């Protein structure tokens, strides 16, 4: 008996440990995001690549050296004559930039490096927003599943009692069957909701690189979160003139516009002549022994003045300006849309009474008792259960959407 008892305890402990949920707070999620997220790690490597590109653009072109050695001396007919009468010709050429042919490339690479820093901030903020909104959504989907659990537990208790009475002939089989179909529909809706919650858990595990398969639960203080959302809404409403110019998206587009302008200037410089300083040493040339010469090579921009590339670069500058205007408008509209969501749902949750959730729970238990006592009909019972479920799910959905919008506002605008 003792061995059996110990085995039962062991099995119970293993089952409880296997279903133990992993709690996740917003601060823990932020830490995991910074350390583990693959997209964020890749964005950091983009910054390193841009730093390498800037360093490379600062380097000047290497000199070109050419050596020619006479195979057979025509005077003494010696092969590869290494003596005093041997012939060797050495030429060296060093190109140099004029009119911004080098400087504009450096400035363009510097602007692209700043753009990569801004892109890193955008990626980090967008991923943080995605994680926070997914956590809020998961929290309220699990809350909605609990609503179904309460209703299913109550309906199953009624169904068991009605089946017993139906077998005795005290209750019509049609009423029992109606309650059974209601339980089935509730279980089906709950299963669909749990599948959506499972997809959110998988999304969070992928974003945060969390191993394992334990269920995730979100550590969220609902009352504090709603109070913070209300304060944030009032603060942002009082500052409607906030400009999005300081947001990383706008800084990114500004740096991209700057890079496009430097690219345009560099294309203009490519229409200028290419110049190089040259030097030559000829051991036994036609002029004399140990002949030294210096010169200058210049390309003549006669047929190609780089006009096509200049035209493309001008279009890129204009496109960058258009993208900046469009992004500024989109950010402003998104801010107002999130403010409207928070404001509307805050007003909705305050009506008709703050204690509506408790009142609905009491109504559910009262409906169960009244139906079991046959004081209300089956139609009234189903209607009360439907009203309870729809109202509770609507309130939880309102809280979810409101807090998701509040998280977007807080992460983007609350600096």
């Amino acid at each position: 008996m003792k061995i059996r008892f110990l085995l039962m305890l062991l099995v119970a402990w293993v089952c409880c440990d296997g279903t133990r949920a992993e709690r996740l707070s917003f601060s823990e999620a932020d830490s995991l995001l910074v350390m583990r997220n693959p997209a964020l790690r890749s964005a950091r490597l983009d910054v390193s690549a841009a730093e390498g590109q800037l360093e490379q653009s600062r380097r000047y072109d290497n000199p070109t050296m050419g050596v020619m050695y006479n195979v057979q001396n025509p005077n003494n007919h010696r092969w590869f004559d290494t003596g005093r009468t041997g012939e060797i010709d050495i030429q060296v050429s060093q190109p140099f930039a004029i009119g911004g042919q080098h400087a504009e490339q450096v400035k363009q690479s510097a602007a692209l490096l700043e753009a990569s820093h801004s892109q890193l901030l955008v990626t980090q903020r967008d991923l943080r927003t995605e994680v926070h909104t997914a956590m809020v959504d998961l929290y309220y989907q699990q809350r909605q599943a609990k609503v179904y659990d309460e209703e299913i537990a109550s309906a199953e208790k009624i169904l068991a009692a009605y089946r017993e009475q139906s077998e005795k002939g005290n209750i019509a089989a049609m009423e029992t069957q109606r309650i059974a179909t209601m339980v089935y529909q509730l279980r089906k809706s709950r299963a669909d909701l749990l599948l959506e919650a499972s997809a959110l858990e998988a999304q969070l595990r992928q974003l945060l690189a969390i191993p394992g398969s334990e269920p995730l639960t979100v550590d969220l203080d609902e009352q504090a979160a709603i109070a913070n959302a209300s304060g944030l809404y009032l603060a942002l409403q009082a500052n409607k003139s906030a400009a999005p110019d300081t947001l990383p998206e706008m800084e990114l587009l500004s740096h991209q516009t700057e890079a496009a302008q430097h690219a345009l200037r560099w294309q203009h410089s490519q229409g200028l002549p290419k110049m190089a300083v040259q030097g030559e040493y000829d051991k036994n040339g036609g002029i004399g022994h140990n002949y030294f010469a210096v010169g200058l090579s210049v390309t003549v921009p006669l047929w190609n003045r780089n006009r096509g590339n200049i035209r493309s670069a001008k279009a890129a500058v204009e496109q960058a300006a258009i993208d900046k205007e469009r992004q500024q408008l989109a950010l402003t509209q998104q801010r107002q849309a999130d403010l409207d969501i928070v404001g509307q749902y805050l007003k909705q949750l305050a009506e008709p009474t703050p204690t509506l959730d408790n009142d609905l729970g009491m109504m559910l238990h009262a409906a169960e008792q009244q139906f079991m006592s046959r004081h209300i009909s089956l139609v009234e019972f189903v209607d009360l259960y439907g009203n309870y479920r729809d109202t509770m799910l609507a309130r939880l959905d309102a809280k979810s959407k409101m807090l998701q919008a509040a998280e977007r506002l807080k992460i983007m605008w609350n600096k």
Side-chain angles (χ1 to χ4, degrees), residues 135-388:
M135 290 175 66
V136 172
D137 196 5
L138 176 61
Y139 175 81
Y140 281 103
Q141 285 196 5
Q142 292 172 344
R143 287 278 304 275
Q144 289 176 348
K146 291 180 180 179
V147 172
Y148 281 107
D149 290 338
E150 294 177 0
E151 196 168 3
I152 290 172
S154 176
E156 285 181 339
K157 183 167 61 174
I158 295 174
L159 179 60
Y162 263 58
R163 281 176 175 169
E164 181 180 355
Q165 294 298 321
S166 179
E167 292 175 357
K168 296 178 180 179
N170 298 328
I171 295 177
M174 185 178 294
E175 292 189 8
T176 305
Q177 187 62 31
R178 178 66 183 88
I179 298 174
T181 57
M182 183 178 71
V183 172
Y184 174 80
Q185 292 171 356
L186 290 173
R187 288 176 177 171
K188 173 63 169 57
S189 299
R190 179 181 180 274
D192 293 339
L193 191 62
L194 291 179
L195 288 176
E196 294 179 9
S198 178
L200 283 174
E201 290 183 28
Q203 178 185 356
L204 286 172
R205 287 188 179 279
Q206 184 177 4
L207 288 171
L208 303 178
I210 300 176
S213 58
E214 297 83 2
L216 289 177
T217 58
V218 179
D219 187 6
L220 175 64
D221 187 347
E222 183 180 84
Q223 293 183 352
I226 294 176
N228 292 335
S230 178
L232 177 65
Y233 172 74
L234 295 175
L236 293 180
Q237 278 289 93
N239 188 21
K240 289 187 176 182
S241 61
D245 295 336
T246 58
L247 294 178
E249 289 97 338
M250 301 307 299
E251 293 178 354
L252 169 63
L253 291 173
S254 296
H255 294 311
Q256 289 178 343
T257 302
E258 181 183 357
Q261 292 171 348
H262 289 302
L264 174 60
R265 297 191 187 102
W266 182 78
Q267 292 293 349
H268 277 292
S269 69
Q270 296 305 297
L272 299 175
K274 304 294 190 303
M275 305 182 70
V277 176
Q278 294 180 327
E280 182 178 2
Y281 165 71
D282 194 349
K283 183 178 180 182
N284 288 310
I287 296 179
H289 184 64
N290 290 334
Y291 168 74
F292 291 91
V294 294
L296 179 69
S297 67
V298 180
T299 61
V300 181
L302 185 60
W303 316 117
N304 182 10
R305 297 185 181 180
N306 206 37
R307 290 177 178 175
N309 290 332
I310 292 173
R311 183 176 178 182
S312 299
K314 285 181 179 179
V317 172
E318 294 176 1
Q319 287 176 339
I322 294 173
D323 291 340
K324 189 173 181 180
E325 294 177 2
R326 180 175 55 191
Q327 185 65 44
Q328 185 173 11
L329 179 60
L331 291 172
T332 304
Q333 291 177 343
Q334 182 61 47
R335 180 180 188 269
Q336 187 58 47
D338 288 333
L339 282 174
D340 293 339
I341 291 173
V342 175
Q344 289 295 330
Y345 283 125
L346 281 175
K347 185 185 300 183
Q348 178 181 333
L349 292 172
E351 298 172 354
T353 171
T355 61
L356 181 60
D357 293 345
N358 295 330
D359 296 341
L360 289 172
M362 294 174 61
M363 184 192 75
L364 178 67
H365 296 298
E368 176 187 335
Q369 295 174 0
Q370 292 290 323
F371 184 64
M372 293 287 288
S373 303
R374 309 295 292 175
H375 292 160
I376 59 176
S377 65
L378 177 61
V379 175
E380 292 173 328
F381 169 73
V382 173
D383 184 63
L384 286 173
Y385 263 46
N387 287 336
Y388 164 79

Side-chain angles (χ1 to χ4, degrees), residues 12-161:
W13 178 80
V14 171
C15 293
C16 293
D17 184 71
T19 58
R20 182 176 54 193
E22 185 176 352
R23 297 188 65 83
L24 182 67
S25 65
F26 287 110
S27 58
E28 292 171 346
D30 291 341
S31 299
L32 292 174
L33 181 69
V34 172
M35 292 186 297
R36 299 182 180 181
N37 183 264
L40 200 55
R41 291 159 57 191
S42 178
R44 295 193 190 100
L45 293 177
D46 289 338
V47 175
S48 299
E51 291 174 347
Q53 186 63 39
L54 174 60
E55 181 181 357
Q56 182 62 35
S57 66
R58 288 172 175 164
R59 307 299 179 185
Y60 289 93
D61 293 334
N62 292 323
T64 302
M65 182 176 179
V67 179
M68 299 293 292
Y69 200 86
N70 189 11
V71 177
Q72 186 184 46
N73 193 326
N75 296 323
N76 54 22
H77 302 288
R78 292 181 180 178
W79 294 87
F80 298 103
D81 187 2
T82 59
R84 185 176 183 277
T85 60
E87 170 63 18
I88 184 173
D89 183 43
I90 301 174
Q91 296 180 350
V92 179
S93 177
Q94 173 63 58
F96 63 94
I98 62 172
Q101 292 173 339
H102 177 76
E104 292 301 330
Q105 272 192 322
V106 176
K107 293 177 181 179
Q108 181 185 2
S109 297
L112 291 176
L113 174 59
E114 294 299 325
S116 66
H117 283 293
S118 299
Q119 182 63 61
L120 176 61
L121 295 177
V122 171
T123 302
Q124 182 174 357
R125 193 210 57 207
D126 289 346
L127 289 171
R128 185 166 175 248
T129 302
E130 185 178 356
V131 168
H132 282 215
T133 54
M135 290 175 66
V136 172
D137 196 5
L138 176 61
Y139 175 81
Y140 281 103
Q141 285 196 5
Q142 292 172 344
R143 287 278 304 275
Q144 289 176 348
K146 291 180 180 179
V147 172
Y148 281 107
D149 290 338
E150 294 177 0
E151 196 168 3
I152 290 172
S154 176
E156 285 181 339
K157 183 167 61 174
I158 295 174
L159 179 60

